[in-house]
Amino acid sequence: MIIQRVVLNSRPGKNGVPVAENFRLEQSTIADTVQAGQVRVKTLYLSVDPYMRCRMNEDTGSDYLRPWQLSEVADGGGIGVVEESKHDNLAKGDFVTSFTWPWQTVAILDGSLLQKLVPQLVNGRLSYFLGAAGITGLTALLGIREKGHVAAGANQTMVVSGAAGACGSLAGQIGRLEGCSRVVGIAGTDEKCSILVQEMGFDAAINYKKGDVAKQLRELCPGGVDVYFDNVGGDISDTVISQMNQNSHIILCGQISQYNKDVPYPPPLPPDIEKIQKERNITRERFLVLNYMDKQEASVLQLCQWIQEGKLKVRETMVEGLANIGAAFQSMMNGGNIGKQIVSVSK
């Protein structure tokens, strides 16, 4: 069977900026027959995520991330529909997902590595299982619960950087649902800031490309910052940390501003900021959602309930066509999207 697939065409280098041309669309073939335990699936949606920048390096810098190989098919979170099955628990027409879905139009996969999806849990919006009801939502929810130390009634202020992105836009809302009394987002355009406040219930949002961020932060968080959901690192994070309270908490989710630099993860703080962190006893521990998979099922059900009740607003940037996945990746790394970046492969 002839299919289309996307392979890694070139590496941007550890300090380079990824471009669409780092990926290549090509024709390939898969077997015409399905073996015992396998299923043939048609790809519906693929997820494009910041962590994938690390997979473009020969050394990902992480023991849990496998590097993409040159001229080999890329992979990541994906959703598809079963077209043929020789696996006892999967049937034709079932919707399934995997963290290691190949970037191709049709694939033959080991059925035991797939998770069956229930579309009704997300009001039929299957792509949500790659975002708000998937690993992105789990990262936001478990990050807040495991590292944020949010307590209802404690009058805590949360700041979220990268707040209009896939994880940040959920984290701010979940922080409120978990008990924060004030939530302030940091984003890169006036449009994003407006969406955060008007659609997603943030109390305020700062466009870091305009004005004095430190001054705006002091005005919007007069009692200081108790919880910081950090998606970006760098200068923005240094500014937030300098205004954090005694015994406050940083949820170290991502450091996208540092992903094109050859630095360790998490990147070290500047000496003056590190001094503040230590003097104020601010926790800054690496958070990896895969370490909390024992809580996955209950957490996904909580996320789906909030979605059904309209308490968790979801934004997606949908790109049509497998041929455009490289451009989608470049746009996401440049901060051009709002919410989760999804590629629709087939309808």
Side-chain angles (χ1 to χ4, degrees):
M1 178 183 293
I2 298 174
I3 63 163
Q4 287 188 315
R5 67 178 194 169
V6 170
V7 303
L8 184 65
N9 187 51
S10 58
R11 299 189 190 277
K14 282 203 168 185
N15 297 300
V17 177
V19 293
E21 290 73 25
N22 291 135
F23 300 96
R24 181 176 77 246
L25 180 71
E26 63 180 28
Q27 275 197 347
S28 186
T29 59
I30 60 171
D32 291 325
T33 56
V34 176
Q35 303 299 316
Q38 295 181 328
V39 295
R40 188 179 75 243
V41 292
K42 179 172 71 172
T43 304
L44 300 177
Y45 300 104
L46 294 171
S47 176
V48 180
D49 301 286
Y51 82 88
M52 292 175 171
R53 173 62 184 88
C54 303
R55 301 192 66 189
M56 300 180 80
N57 299 332
E58 292 181 70
D59 177 8
T60 65
S62 172
D63 56 5
Y64 68 91
L65 285 180
R66 182 180 58 83
W68 287 327
Q69 299 300 319
L70 290 171
S71 295
E72 295 293 328
V73 65
D75 69 299
I79 290 173
V81 61
V82 176
E83 293 188 321
E84 182 182 353
S85 175
K86 289 189 177 178
H87 187 277
D88 292 342
N89 297 327
L90 295 173
K92 182 178 179 180
D94 284 346
F95 296 105
V96 290
T97 187
S98 167
F99 292 136
T100 57
W101 197 285
W103 287 7
Q104 57 193 58
T105 50
V106 180
I108 294 176
L109 304 175
D110 181 345
S112 65
L113 301 179
L114 299 174
Q115 180 182 358
K116 191 186 299 188
L117 299 175
V118 182
Q120 292 86 348
L121 289 176
V122 288
N123 301 324
R125 297 292 297 271
L126 274 172
S127 57
Y128 283 11
F129 284 115
L130 293 178
I135 197 72
T136 310
L138 286 172
T139 300
L141 176 58
L142 291 172
I144 289 168
R145 287 184 171 176
E146 299 297 328
K147 300 294 184 182
H149 303 275
V150 173
N155 197 32
Q156 292 164 297
T157 294
M158 172 186 278
V159 171
V160 183
S161 59
C167 197
S169 60
L170 299 172
Q173 298 178 75
I174 292 170
R176 172 83 75 200
L177 290 166
E178 289 290 286
C180 285
S181 60
R182 186 164 182 78
V183 179
V184 176
I186 302 175
T189 69
D190 289 343
E191 179 193 10
K192 291 178 179 180
C193 290
S194 176
I195 288 170
L196 291 174
V197 175
Q198 295 180 14
E199 288 188 21
M200 298 184 173
F202 284 61
D203 292 285
I206 296 169
N207 181 349
Y208 70 87
K209 295 180 180 178
K210 286 186 174 180
D212 186 331
V213 174
K215 179 183 177 183
Q216 293 178 75
L217 204 57
R218 282 192 295 271
E219 292 172 350
L220 294 172
C221 307
V225 178
D226 301 296
V227 185
Y228 174 38
F229 200 98
D230 185 5
N231 287 301
V232 302
D235 293 343
I236 294 295
S237 290
D238 296 345
T239 300
V240 177
I241 294 169
S242 69
Q243 298 190 33
M244 294 187 73
N245 292 325
Q246 194 75 25
N247 302 318
S248 54
H249 304 282
I250 298 169
I251 303 165
L252 195 59
C253 178
Q255 303 280 275
I256 195 169
S257 73
Q258 308 297 302
Y259 285 172
N260 296 324
K261 301 175 183 178
D262 186 10
V263 295
Y265 187 88
L269 296 171
D272 57 330
I273 302 300
E274 185 177 19
K275 182 181 179 183
I276 290 173
Q277 182 208 347
K278 290 180 177 178
E279 288 178 347
R280 298 181 191 171
N281 192 34
I282 302 170
T283 63
R284 183 181 184 256
E285 303 165 344
R286 184 171 185 171
F287 170 72
L288 179 60
V289 69
L290 298 178
N291 290 338
Y292 300 93
M293 285 297 98
D294 59 316
K295 301 181 179 180
Q296 175 186 6
E297 185 175 353
S299 299
V300 168
L301 290 175
Q302 174 65 86
L303 292 164
C304 290
Q305 180 181 338
W306 282 335
I307 291 170
Q308 291 174 340
E309 293 172 349
K311 294 179 179 178
L312 194 61
K313 304 294 194 301
V314 182
R315 270 273 188 158
E316 294 179 322
T317 299
M318 189 71 71
V319 175
E320 300 289 336
L322 185 62
N324 295 315
I325 198 166
F329 185 83
Q330 179 179 341
S331 174
M332 177 205 61
M333 289 300 299
N334 290 333
N337 60 299
I338 298 175
K340 182 72 176 181
Q341 181 83 68
I342 300 287
V343 174
S344 175
V345 178
S346 177
K347 290 292 181 68

